[in-house]
Amino acid sequence: EKEDACEDFQEDNCTEHYLHYDKDFSHINTSKISTTEVIEKTSYEEDTLQKHLLWQIHLSNLSDNDKSIAESITDYLNNDGYLIKDILDIFDDLYLNTETTLDEVIAVQHFLQRLDPAGTCSKNIQESLLVQVQNTNANPNIKSKICILLNEFFQEYTENKTKIIL
């Protein structure tokens, strides 16, 4: 930032007042700088899943205590959106000797699982898929069959052993 050293300034003569700035930057050829180059050199803060969830949490109508719990749970997410610890361990780590109950922590986890993208804050892909299915508007009969498949035949499904499933 350039410091203005002009002592005698008359408000009605802006061009004369700022002439010294033109001289200082005359060596820069702005016509050779492309828009692409400017954009590439612009730094930005990368959006992460955690930031996306925090944004949604702050827009929600959760109580301050539940928002605090939600923020804490998001600290236990890996890059894929799965919890790195079981929700019971998270409760033990953070809330064991507090007024917060395990039921509150689990309720907040379920709230988080329904945010965009659905299924985050789950312990694994199986739980994530179950949450996603439960959050669809599909036919209840189809949802029920998919939940049975995911609950009872998940291993066979992942190993493509469809004959066992049928």
Side-chain angles (χ1 to χ4, degrees):
E1 195 172 310
K2 181 158 177 67
E3 190 175 307
D4 192 357
C6 295
E7 302 280 326
D8 299 319
F9 169 64
Q10 294 177 0
E11 287 187 41
D12 60 339
N13 196 350
C14 293
T15 307
E16 188 177 311
H17 176 70
Y18 291 106
L19 275 177
H20 61 277
Y21 287 113
D22 292 338
K23 292 175 190 169
D24 290 343
F25 297 109
S26 60
H27 65 282
I28 298 174
N29 186 353
T30 56
S31 64
K32 292 185 181 180
I33 300 174
S34 70
T35 305
T36 306
E37 188 177 353
V38 171
I39 292 171
E40 288 173 355
K41 291 182 180 182
T42 303
S43 66
Y44 70 97
E45 189 174 322
E46 185 177 328
D47 285 337
T48 63
L49 176 60
Q50 185 180 19
K51 287 181 184 175
H52 183 64
L53 291 172
L54 290 173
W55 172 73
Q56 293 175 81
I57 290 165
H58 292 285
L59 290 177
S60 72
N61 60 354
L62 291 175
S63 69
D64 290 340
N65 186 52
D66 286 347
K67 284 181 182 180
S68 176
I69 294 169
E71 291 170 0
S72 298
I73 291 173
T74 62
D75 288 338
Y76 285 86
L77 290 179
N78 66 16
N79 291 337
D80 295 324
Y82 300 115
L83 293 174
I84 58 173
K85 281 189 167 187
D86 187 85
I87 197 70
L88 299 174
D89 294 329
I90 294 171
F91 173 78
D92 288 344
D93 286 352
L94 302 174
Y95 303 106
L96 186 59
N97 295 318
T98 66
E99 293 181 16
T100 301
T101 66
L102 177 60
D103 288 339
E104 286 177 282
V105 174
I106 291 172
V108 171
Q109 178 197 17
H110 289 166
F111 170 80
L112 291 171
Q113 289 174 330
R114 282 151 183 79
L115 294 178
D116 177 54
T120 55
C121 300
S122 297
K123 62 183 173 184
N124 55 35
I125 191 166
Q126 182 181 13
E127 183 180 32
S128 178
L129 289 171
L130 282 164
V131 169
Q132 291 175 50
V133 168
Q134 292 165 354
N135 283 315
T136 64
N137 293 328
N139 178 310
N141 189 33
I142 294 172
K143 283 171 64 169
S144 174
K145 289 178 182 178
I146 294 172
C147 287
I148 291 170
L149 172 74
L150 291 172
N151 280 317
E152 297 179 24
F153 299 101
F154 186 72
Q155 186 67 33
E156 292 82 2
Y157 174 73
T158 59
E159 295 171 359
N160 203 21
K161 296 179 180 177
T162 53
K163 291 182 181 179
I164 296 172
I165 298 171
L166 298 173

